[in-house]
Amino acid sequence: MTGASAGAGATVPDRRGPARSPYLLPRQPDPTRAPLRLFCFHHAGGAASSFSGWQERLGGGVAVVPVQLPGREHRAKEPRLREFARLVDELDEALDPLLDAPHAFYGHSMGGIVAHELTRRRVERGLTPPRQLLVGACPPPHRPHPADGVPPERRSDEELTAWMAGLGGLPDLVRRYPDWLRLAVAVLRDDLSLVHSHASGPGGATAPDPLPVPVRALAGSSDPLVTPGLAAEWARHTTADFRVFTLAGGHFFHRTAPGVVLRLVASLLAAEHSTRS
């Protein structure tokens, strides 16, 4: 089951443009029908299905657009990307036709890095940036990602399995089936390689200039990777308004307490939209 189920309504027509992009779900509801679009970027080892149910909870005023990276779910037969710059290039081109109207980004963990870099690319190109950048369980750009350090290709399957399981990111059902577990670890390894290739990571470029975009950082109260204090350091990466929120839960609080998370996201989007209307 993919995370495509996003409520009733017309899907994006099968024509030249965004409908042809594999980064969108096969039956993505038409986002042009809502006054605001929320693009959601998943965590390492995850997929667009991690945002399943968001459309129903956020309602018709927001079009939820989960972004699917290659090598998983409906893109399982495609090779996974391991070069961050190439991913941003592809996302910038693929999503551009849908970024011409009011929109916001939400990225969880690795997805927050992706959302931030795509935002920066849009600003550098002189294009309209998102009205808000929401990042969950994601370290700020000037800090190394907690998954950095030992290159993923040098970690054993057992080490990666234990690491993800310790964060609560590996369902028991997956662990019971060896083939599923091997695939999950392979996806995680490649996604961590993607993070490792990020230019702002260890040995890379200096931290980027702050963006003229409001940033909202969400942190789990018991997240061992990204503490609320670390999330608060996102403040230095915006010249606009910044707020940090602590939510009950660990690294995957968006899955363990979706109702709480989505009530917060809805209120943040509504507040920003009302000030611009």
Side-chain angles (χ1 to χ4, degrees):
M1 176 178 179
T2 71
S5 299
T11 57
V12 177
D14 185 16
R15 64 176 188 275
R16 185 181 64 182
R20 296 293 180 133
S21 172
Y23 281 99
L24 300 183
L25 296 177
R27 293 190 60 80
Q28 169 66 49
D30 186 356
T32 65
R33 296 187 167 211
L36 181 69
R37 302 166 191 176
L38 177 64
F39 293 83
C40 300
F41 302 85
H42 59 74
H43 58 277
S49 59
S50 62
F51 302 108
S52 177
W54 279 42
Q55 184 64 72
E56 289 85 347
R57 289 176 181 262
L58 290 177
V62 177
V64 176
V65 186
V67 177
Q68 186 79 282
L69 269 60
R72 67 211 75 210
E73 294 186 340
H74 77 275
R75 305 186 68 182
K77 294 183 179 179
E78 300 177 43
R80 291 180 289 276
L81 296 178
R82 300 179 65 179
E83 298 177 10
F84 205 92
R86 179 182 169 188
L87 172 62
V88 176
D89 288 343
E90 290 193 8
L91 288 173
D92 189 28
E93 179 180 359
L95 300 182
D96 181 73
L98 293 177
L99 297 177
D100 61 346
H103 62 278
F105 290 164
Y106 176 86
H108 198 86
S109 195
M110 176 189 76
I113 302 174
V114 174
H116 174 262
E117 287 302 310
L118 181 57
T119 300
R120 184 153 68 101
R121 173 68 59 83
R122 306 291 293 181
V123 170
E124 290 174 346
R125 290 182 58 202
L127 302 173
T128 302
R131 291 191 168 187
Q132 286 187 85
L133 172 61
L134 290 78
V135 291
C138 181
H142 67 283
R143 293 277 199 165
H145 192 279
D148 282 340
V150 179
E153 61 270 16
R154 291 170 53 188
R155 298 187 182 189
S156 68
D157 285 2
E158 293 74 19
E159 288 176 318
L160 290 177
T161 298
W163 183 75
M164 183 59 89
L167 294 175
L170 195 60
D172 290 338
L173 182 62
V174 172
R175 301 183 70 176
R176 289 201 294 267
Y177 293 89
D179 289 345
W180 292 6
L181 181 58
R182 280 192 292 270
L183 177 59
V185 171
V187 173
L188 175 62
R189 188 187 303 280
D190 285 346
D191 284 354
L192 293 181
S193 294
L194 187 67
V195 172
H196 200 76
S197 74
H198 184 220
S200 293
T206 57
D209 292 333
L211 298 172
V213 177
V215 173
R216 310 289 182 246
L218 285 61
S221 58
S222 58
D223 185 351
L225 295 187
V226 185
T227 65
L230 180 58
E233 295 185 28
W234 271 96
R236 65 187 285 182
H237 295 281
T238 176
T239 58
D241 184 45
F242 171 76
R243 298 175 69 185
V244 61
F245 300 88
T246 301
L247 303 171
H251 193 67
F252 296 102
F253 57 79
H254 70 311
R255 296 198 308 197
T256 58
V260 175
V261 173
L262 289 172
R263 282 193 292 272
L264 174 60
V265 170
S267 66
L268 293 174
L269 296 178
E272 181 68 20
H273 187 63
S274 65
T275 62
R276 306 262 189 128
S277 300

